[in-house]
Amino acid sequence: MPKDNRILIAIGAAVAVLAAVAIGLIFSGGKKSAEPPPAAQGGLTVDVADAPELNTTRELRCYVDGQFVGMATLVDCARRNGLATDALDVGVDETGALVAAPTASFAPPPSAPGDLAEAEAPAATEAPDVAAPEPTTAAAAQCLRHTGSDWRSLSSSMSLNACVQALYAGTCVTPGDALYGRWGNTTLRLVPRRVEQSQDNNRFRTLVEQDRSCQFPDLR
């Protein structure tokens, strides 16, 4: 084949490749991605587990007996509720507004389970009269969740730590609200940033703190 023909063939092939690339760019450039932008995919996330720092003169939404009574400072809101300031739960609601309310004021403790606990409790066995040991987190007992109208059993034999995780891991509540559970004869209560426990369903004390991700790192 003459040398000139080979040169012409090479030039023609190069031109064809360039034309194909140009056509591909033209057609691909006019198409838009079907996926929504990252901002649209993320959605809105409201973190109610961590309240901003407060000063004594800053006003926030105050609740008394579950009713909004207007804007008030933390000290004034506590006075209206007849409580010390550390007895108020402070956080942000779904709108991002600061809220103060007595602990669990929107969800008072339910009555202790009756027939359900008795029906699902293991049968008692005869035992010698010895002093009962203090309950520990490693002991096993029935774990119950209060659904708002009744009690539902999660397990008939579970440790205290496992019961807290099963009831509340990944769940946060807003100020003034609470979620209840039972571990044996102990009432459990999730309030903002902590789980509390009570032996008499009346006086509660902190059992474990909850982090901003609604988890319990101290129970791991």
Side-chain angles (χ1 to χ4, degrees), residues 47 95 111 150 162 209:
D47 184 0
T95 67
S111 58
D150 58 6
E209 300 288 339

Side-chain angles (χ1 to χ4, degrees), residues 53-68:
E53 292 293 330
L54 289 176
N55 58 54
T56 56
T57 60
R58 183 170 183 175
E59 291 190 337
L60 62 165
R61 294 172 61 85
C62 178
Y63 285 82
V64 177
D65 295 329
Q67 300 295 320
F68 175 60

Side-chain angles (χ1 to χ4, degrees), residues 39 44 49 102:
L44 175 64

Side-chain angles (χ1 to χ4, degrees), residues 2-120:
K3 184 176 181 180
D4 292 341
N5 288 344
R6 290 198 298 268
I7 294 175
L8 291 175
I9 292 173
I11 294 174
V15 171
V17 170
L18 292 175
V21 172
I23 292 173
L25 291 175
I26 291 172
F27 281 99
S28 63
K31 294 182 179 180
K32 295 183 179 180
S33 173
E35 295 184 359
Q41 298 181 45
L44 175 64
T45 300
V46 178
D47 184 0
V48 299
D50 189 44
E53 292 293 330
L54 289 176
N55 58 54
T56 56
T57 60
R58 183 170 183 175
E59 291 190 337
L60 62 165
R61 294 172 61 85
C62 178
Y63 285 82
V64 177
D65 295 329
Q67 300 295 320
F68 175 60
V69 296
M71 305 298 291
T73 64
L74 186 61
V75 174
D76 187 39
C77 187
R79 180 184 57 78
R80 295 186 188 185
N81 281 281
L83 300 170
T85 54
D86 59 3
L88 294 181
D89 284 332
V90 180
V92 293
D93 61 14
E94 293 80 358
T95 67
L98 281 173
V99 178
T103 297
S105 61
F106 298 159
S111 58
D115 296 340
L116 178 62
E118 295 174 1
E120 297 189 359

Side-chain angles (χ1 to χ4, degrees), residues 10-11 40 56 68 79 84-85 93 96 109 114 120-121 123 139-140 142 155 158 167 170 179 187-188 200 206 219:
I11 294 174
T56 56
F68 175 60
R79 180 184 57 78
T85 54
D93 61 14
E120 297 189 359
Q142 187 181 31
S155 173
M158 183 178 282
L167 287 169
L179 293 176
T187 300
L188 302 176
D200 60 7
T206 299
L219 297 184

